[in-house]
Amino acid sequence: MKYIALALAFIASPIMAQDNISDEPITATGPLGNLAGSYKDAGKDTPVVLIIAGSGPTDRNGNSPLGINANSYKLLAEALAQKNISSVRIDKRGMFGSASAIKDANAVTIADYVSDVNAWSDTIRSKTNQKCIWLAGHSEGALVALASAQAPKNICGVITIAGPGRPLDEVLRKQLSSNPANAPIMGDALSALKKLKSGEKVDVSRMHPALQGLFNPAVQPFMIDLFSYDPAALAAQTQLPLLIIQGDNDIQVSVKDAEILAKANPKSTLAIIPNMNHVLKTIESKNRAVNAQSYANPDLPLSPKLADIIAQFIEK
């Protein structure tokens, strides 16, 4: 694997809060209705990055009604535009602007999301005349990007950002156990994860309310499908250029995950960004509460090294 140096030889340019390139609505063909997104055109013949959102009801800007309002993807699109890289950020099928694409946003699989990536590839290439597009998947979106690379349809390369290196049930187990407050419910949580991993649904009626939400019966079929994927195996089989980015102050996905992905694909490029957290902001404090507060702060700037690393990789 190759490493991107983050020392004096690599000087990041500042990320401004706004840019002068407007978003343009863009749609792709979905199963029952259109998929919706925002296109930021950085100029003719510029490379195009498709930004793939993370888990749950995360919108094209990186925000969620579950308390996330960091504007991470919007800020990333603006930062890339400053480096002459166009981007498309999207709403997942069944959600937000893509609500008409399917009747039930929970009735999805990773393969469905891969189909949507292919639809976006067709739309973007038709609009821009680019031969291929770059995929930048964040968190769970990194798994979608890696899955899309297994039978690539006009994809230039893959960028994973805070992507898990282990199956998602293992990542979730680690996330839950890392918080001491979860100790009283860990027995039920571990039992549920084990059953879902084996393909069985679980009865949540007697579980703690927090676990009833986490293992909502409506999303259990998706979780069963999700847990069946091994990100490291997908990375190992990826023949396209692969950039693996991870912040070292991420309280959801660890540097170990990035290292697992990089080890699986020796041709990949690994970049560890100091102090970047899961929502791509710079947090110098190691206090978990301080880190979590950034999830609801859209005014906190994006990690200034993130767009530089992506641009350097694409230019190569």
Side-chain angles (χ1 to χ4, degrees), residues 24 27 29 43 45 87 121 142 151 159 192 209 231 260 303 305:
E24 177 185 336
T27 60
T29 302
D45 296 328
S87 64
S121 175
I159 301 160
I260 290 171
S303 172
K305 294 175 181 176

Side-chain angles (χ1 to χ4, degrees), residues 106-111 140 143 167-170 172 191-204 214-230:
N106 292 316
V108 293
T109 63
I110 295 299
E140 181 186 286
L143 176 65
L168 268 293
D169 61 300
E170 294 183 25
L172 188 54
S191 176
L193 288 170
K194 183 177 180 179
K195 284 187 177 181
L196 291 167
K197 178 70 172 181
S198 69
E200 297 180 56
K201 293 183 180 180
V202 298
D203 180 6
V204 300
L214 178 62
F215 300 118
N216 188 319
V219 301
Q220 287 187 25
F222 175 70
M223 296 180 81
I224 289 171
D225 177 70
L226 180 67
F227 293 170
S228 70
Y229 285 85
D230 182 350

Side-chain angles (χ1 to χ4, degrees), residues 268-281:
S268 65
T269 300
L270 175 63
I272 306 299
I273 301 182
N275 298 319
M276 188 175 80
N277 74 352
H278 195 69
V279 292
L280 317 182
K281 308 297 182 79

Side-chain angles (χ1 to χ4, degrees), residues 121 124-126 128-133 153-156:
S121 175
I124 294 167
R125 289 187 308 105
S126 176
T128 64
N129 292 320
Q130 291 290 312
K131 292 182 179 179
C132 60
I133 66 170
K153 187 177 180 183
N154 303 305
I155 297 171
C156 309

Side-chain angles (χ1 to χ4, degrees), residues 249-287:
N249 202 5
D250 189 326
I251 57 176
Q252 292 185 243
V253 178
S254 69
V255 169
K256 178 182 178 181
D257 284 283
E259 292 173 342
I260 290 171
L261 291 176
K263 183 178 180 180
N265 188 323
K267 294 182 179 180
S268 65
T269 300
L270 175 63
I272 306 299
I273 301 182
N275 298 319
M276 188 175 80
N277 74 352
H278 195 69
V279 292
L280 317 182
K281 308 297 182 79
T282 298
I283 304 295
E284 296 185 358
S285 171
K286 297 302 179 183
N287 183 286

